[in-house]
Amino acid sequence: MSNRFKPKFNIKKGDTVVVITGDDKDVKKPRKVLEVFPDKERVLVEGVNIVTRHTKPSARDTKGGIVKKEAAIHISNVMLWDAKKGEATKAKRTRENGKLVRVSKKSGEVIK
């Protein structure tokens, strides 16, 4: 993907989000973003989209077996969590002291 038309996402690593669609949908349970993949438009969210992987024994992992771990979900399936209001919110970008900051549309608070 070229940098010229690279999309900007309002979700970053470490943000608190809620899953709004899919099997793990729960709009009242905030979860933490572990990683963002902007080129694939996907996010890795704590405790969401758990998949099982069958691993062979190797030098690093002497025990093989079944491992459960999170898989990435599409970024459109999550929404930022507004702690002040206690619900999901959209974000807008505004300039504050010459810096771009994300601001919650519901409460008007700056998202850190």
Side-chain angles (χ1 to χ4, degrees):
M1 182 183 291
S2 72
N3 283 341
R4 185 172 175 200
F5 300 111
K6 195 171 184 180
K8 292 270 187 181
F9 299 114
N10 285 324
I11 296 169
K12 296 180 178 179
K13 180 180 176 179
D15 282 348
T16 308
V17 296
V18 288
V19 180
I20 56 172
T21 57
D23 293 340
D24 297 302
K25 174 183 175 178
D26 193 354
V27 293
K28 294 295 177 191
K29 185 175 182 187
R31 300 165 187 262
K32 190 174 181 182
V33 174
L34 301 175
E35 200 169 344
V36 179
F37 306 104
D39 53 329
K40 297 178 185 171
E41 299 179 2
R42 297 180 88 72
V43 289
L44 195 65
V45 183
E46 187 177 50
V48 174
N49 197 18
I50 302 292
V51 294
T52 56
R53 293 277 177 247
H54 297 266
T55 58
K56 282 186 173 182
S58 64
R60 191 169 41 159
D61 181 27
T62 56
K63 276 190 173 180
I66 300 170
V67 178
K68 290 185 183 279
K69 62 185 213 175
E70 293 102 352
I73 58 173
H74 199 268
I75 202 160
S76 66
N77 295 342
V78 296
M79 237 176 144
L80 281 169
W81 177 255
D82 190 351
K84 188 175 181 183
K85 284 276 191 175
E87 54 190 17
T89 183
K90 291 182 179 179
K92 62 182 176 180
R93 288 193 184 94
T94 57
R95 288 214 176 265
E96 220 171 77
N97 302 330
K99 279 189 97 169
L100 267 178
V101 293
R102 297 176 299 158
V103 177
S104 166
K105 284 195 173 184
K106 287 200 176 167
S107 67
E109 292 286 309
V110 174
I111 301 167
K112 296 184 175 47

